Amino acid sequence: LAFAVQGMRGVFHLSMNASWVAREFELPRPPEGSLVGWQRVIDTVLDTPDDICGLDTAPVVPATSFMVEPRSVVLLIAMSQG
């Protein structure tokens, strides 16, 4: 399951994989005017403290798809300028 929500300062894209196998999720294009494109701020498959990042340290996702590991949740954010 995946969905995107438009917020006041950007777009949030949440992907959830309840399956026992990894799934590849296609990403929508980052909104026009986004600062750096999609950034991964939460990935529950990673060990602490790497599972949650602030926007200043969140890695950029340069691809048009993202692999979500089994039984995990990923939150991507594309921040807008301004």
Side-chain angles (χ1 to χ4, degrees):
L1 174 66
F3 60 91
V5 176
Q6 176 71 48
M8 292 181 67
R9 295 184 51 211
V11 177
F12 302 85
H13 187 276
L14 185 69
S15 301
M16 298 171 276
N17 182 4
S19 173
W20 293 104
V21 296
R23 302 283 185 201
E24 187 171 8
F25 286 80
E26 185 175 326
L27 297 174
R29 287 184 173 205
E32 192 170 318
S34 67
L35 296 174
V36 295
W38 293 112
Q39 291 179 270
R40 180 188 45 78
V41 292
I42 298 175
D43 189 345
T44 61
V45 78
L46 299 175
D47 291 329
T48 301
D50 298 324
D51 55 342
I52 300 175
C53 301
L55 283 174
D56 55 333
T57 60
V60 174
V61 178
T64 58
S65 63
F66 190 82
M67 188 65 68
V68 179
E69 296 301 322
R71 317 299 268 181
S72 64
V73 174
V74 173
L75 177 64
L76 307 178
I77 297 178
M79 295 301 293
S80 301
Q81 294 179 2

